[in-house]
Amino acid sequence: MHGVRILLVCTGNTCRSPMAEALLRNLVQETGQAHEVRSAGVSTVDGLPVSEYAVAALREMEIEHCGASRAINAETVAWADLILTMTAGHKRSLLERYPQVVDKSHTLKEYVEDDAEVLGHIAELEGLYTDLHMKQALGGQLSDSERARLLQLERSIPSFDVADPFGGSREQYRMTAKQIKDALDKLVRKIRSTSFDQK
């Protein structure tokens, strides 16, 4: 079986996405899957060292990380079958630069969400946003009831952002690593049952 090429994205590629890359590589190895994993930052330069606390949090989980930051580029996004960002802001930033990757880009936590009610709300909200953009393009607006529903849905959907530990304590890095690991456990299970169009 051909593995899935997975790109993990955060801001500087020195905290969250390198932790996610190392954790996912380890999980892939443990489960005998053949996926390739990379990480990159939407606002960074190549070659910055990974945060000392990120490396320490990984080491506590018996995982080593080697490497330095990488800035996202067209070659990397084209390489990926699946792009998972740490926050909705990263996803927006990515899609502003590479709108062609919309179908394979998600926030990590949104992609692995398995609560049917939450998924239904997300689908309904995306439909309302599509309607809003269409109506605005034609000089129209959502009705009062549609606008009220949109706001209600926005409030009901949990945040899919992975907390940024940058500048925080070692404990904050530990908590972020755990949050990422929990999502990646779900990801590995989901990928097993998902068919990807291979290039």
Side-chain angles (χ1 to χ4, degrees), residues 19 44 49 56 72 93 114-115 123 147 153 195:
M19 285 198 291
T44 192
I72 202 153
S93 177
D114 51 11
D115 181 311
R147 186 173 297 284
L153 285 167
S195 151

Side-chain angles (χ1 to χ4, degrees), residues 159-187:
S159 167
F160 289 119
D161 289 357
V162 172
D164 187 358
F166 183 75
S169 66
R170 185 180 281 235
E171 182 55 30
Q172 282 171 294
Y173 277 82
R174 271 193 205 110
M175 285 163 59
T176 298
K178 176 166 183 350
Q179 200 180 29
I180 292 169
K181 169 81 165 60
D182 291 347
L184 293 175
D185 285 337
K186 287 182 173 181
L187 174 67

Side-chain angles (χ1 to χ4, degrees), residues 69-89:
S69 68
R70 287 181 295 267
I72 202 153
N73 59 39
E75 181 272 324
T76 307
V77 296
W79 166 86
D81 297 316
L82 180 62
I83 302 174
L84 300 171
T85 67
M86 296 296 119
T87 70

Side-chain angles (χ1 to χ4, degrees), residues 93-110:
S93 177
L94 174 76
L95 294 178
E96 278 165 16
R97 285 158 64 187
Y98 307 103
Q100 72 276 17
V101 301
V102 65
D103 292 337
K104 61 180 182 180
S105 301
H106 314 267
T107 69
L108 169 61
K109 287 170 79 175
E110 164 195 34

Side-chain angles (χ1 to χ4, degrees), residues 5-181:
R5 293 184 292 255
I6 304 161
L7 177 64
L8 298 150
V9 176
C10 73
T11 307
N13 194 218
T14 59
C15 299
R16 287 168 290 181
S17 58
M19 285 198 291
E21 178 184 5
L23 286 163
L24 184 54
R25 278 211 171 120
N26 186 64
L27 271 173
V28 163
Q29 204 172 5
E30 280 180 356
T31 55
Q33 297 178 25
H35 312 308
E36 294 177 63
V37 185
R38 292 184 189 174
S39 67
V42 292
S43 181
T44 192
V45 294
D46 290 348
L48 297 176
V50 171
S51 154
E52 178 190 337
Y53 282 170
V55 172
L58 289 169
R59 200 163 282 148
E60 285 175 11
M61 299 162 99
E62 299 184 4
I63 294 166
E64 289 298 321
H65 180 281
C66 7
S69 68
R70 287 181 295 267
I72 202 153
N73 59 39
E75 181 272 324
T76 307
V77 296
W79 166 86
D81 297 316
L82 180 62
I83 302 174
L84 300 171
T85 67
M86 296 296 119
T87 70
H90 298 137
K91 183 173 148 185
R92 268 194 308 276
S93 177
L94 174 76
L95 294 178
E96 278 165 16
R97 285 158 64 187
Y98 307 103
Q100 72 276 17
V101 301
V102 65
D103 292 337
K104 61 180 182 180
S105 301
H106 314 267
T107 69
L108 169 61
K109 287 170 79 175
E110 164 195 34
Y111 187 72
V112 300
E113 178 59 58
D114 51 11
D115 181 311
E117 187 180 0
V118 172
L119 293 172
H121 286 169
I122 291 168
E124 187 182 347
L125 185 61
E126 284 176 351
L128 282 168
Y129 277 132
T130 302
D131 291 349
L132 173 63
H133 293 312
M134 290 294 290
K135 287 179 179 178
Q136 283 177 332
L138 300 169
Q141 286 294 326
L142 290 178
S143 68
D144 288 345
S145 64
E146 287 171 323
R147 186 173 297 284
R149 180 61 178 155
L150 188 141
L151 293 171
Q152 182 188 10
L153 285 167
E154 282 184 339
R155 283 193 297 270
S156 75
I157 292 170
S159 167
F160 289 119
D161 289 357
V162 172
D164 187 358
F166 183 75
S169 66
R170 185 180 281 235
E171 182 55 30
Q172 282 171 294
Y173 277 82
R174 271 193 205 110
M175 285 163 59
T176 298
K178 176 166 183 350
Q179 200 180 29
I180 292 169
K181 169 81 165 60

